[in-house]
Amino acid sequence: MSLIENVKKTIEHTTGLGRPSDSQLKSLIRPCEPVALRFKDDGRTPNSPQFPLLLYRSAFGFLPGLDPAAIIEEIFAHNGWKGSWRDGVYPFLHFHTATHETLGLARGKARIQFGGSKGQTMDLKAGDAMVLPAGTGHRRMSASKDLLVVGAYPAGGRYDEPRPKEVDHDEAVAMIAKVRRPASDPVYGKTGPLLRLWPSDR
């Protein structure tokens, strides 16, 4: 699926077909107060001691003729979250030690566990988005066959994807603590709720 979507993405960037214009972006974002969820370090999955996971229900609006994945990519990029990809979510538990991550569902449904093996499993659908602070464990538990997720990252991060026990736990915790709050909310920009719910540590 990712190969097909990457080819599609390249064609869309080249031709502009299926991609929203800058003037359309604002109308494709729906007002939403995110749910903030905190997960404790369970000894295997560090999670984030500082920032909560943010879950935005039905944050994106979709229009006929526009590719839902392209809509999410453009909104993320417009707000400074780039390096986007199109795929699913790994079925194994993993986390990121050097970057935050945002995910948006372009198609389908999924049950995703956040916070590690002792975390919380949530049902997500197309139009939902979430922001995972560095260290947050996540894995796909089940999904519809048409699931398509768009992911992206704020500036300054470095991608990795260790599973528990693939990295020294104390070292991972120390690395996660160094990941600074991003400059903007991936959905709502520099006035978005992330800036209020993730207090600055600097």
Side-chain angles (χ1 to χ4, degrees), residues 83-151:
S84 65
W85 49 263
R86 300 182 183 187
D87 207 335
V89 176
Y90 290 132
F92 55 83
L93 180 59
H94 66 288
F95 51 87
H96 311 299
T97 66
T99 187
H100 308 302
E101 180 177 48
T102 186
L103 304 174
L105 270 69
R107 287 200 311 265
K109 298 178 181 180
R111 286 177 60 82
I112 302 178
Q113 184 184 56
F114 296 103
S117 59
K118 298 180 181 178
Q120 183 174 343
T121 300
M122 288 178 278
D123 293 313
L124 304 170
K125 66 182 187 310
D128 291 346
M130 59 233 67
V131 187
L132 282 59
T136 303
H138 51 295
R139 62 178 165 183
R140 184 189 77 240
M141 306 302 286
S142 64
S144 60
K145 291 183 178 180
D146 62 341
L147 177 68
L148 180 62
V149 177
V150 174

Side-chain angles (χ1 to χ4, degrees), residues 54-76:
L54 302 180
L55 172 60
Y56 303 75
R57 293 289 190 186
S58 302
F60 305 112
F62 300 131
L63 288 177
L66 295 180
D67 183 351
I71 289 172
I72 296 172
E73 287 167 351
E74 290 295 333
I75 290 171
F76 286 165

Side-chain angles (χ1 to χ4, degrees), residues 110-202:
R111 286 177 60 82
I112 302 178
Q113 184 184 56
F114 296 103
S117 59
K118 298 180 181 178
Q120 183 174 343
T121 300
M122 288 178 278
D123 293 313
L124 304 170
K125 66 182 187 310
D128 291 346
M130 59 233 67
V131 187
L132 282 59
T136 303
H138 51 295
R139 62 178 165 183
R140 184 189 77 240
M141 306 302 286
S142 64
S144 60
K145 291 183 178 180
D146 62 341
L147 177 68
L148 180 62
V149 177
V150 174
Y153 309 92
R158 178 182 58 79
Y159 183 86
D160 65 352
E161 54 184 45
R163 306 184 195 192
K165 296 187 177 180
E166 286 186 347
V167 62
D168 181 85
H169 188 77
D170 291 342
E171 290 180 6
V173 169
M175 291 176 65
I176 290 162
K178 295 178 182 178
V179 184
R180 302 182 67 175
R181 184 185 75 173
S184 65
D185 185 299
V187 180
Y188 300 100
K190 292 187 177 181
T191 60
L194 181 146
L195 283 300
R196 169 171 47 84
L197 296 171
W198 286 18
S200 176
D201 60 344
R202 302 293 192 275

Side-chain angles (χ1 to χ4, degrees), residues 20-62:
S21 65
D22 288 346
S23 62
Q24 289 177 306
L25 289 184
K26 188 173 182 180
S27 67
L28 297 170
I29 302 170
R30 295 172 174 169
C32 173
E33 178 63 22
V35 176
L37 301 168
R38 291 188 176 273
F39 302 104
K40 294 181 179 179
D41 184 335
D42 64 9
R44 299 181 73 248
T45 302
N47 293 308
S48 175
Q50 184 175 9
F51 303 129
L53 177 151
L54 302 180
L55 172 60
Y56 303 75
R57 293 289 190 186
S58 302
F60 305 112
F62 300 131

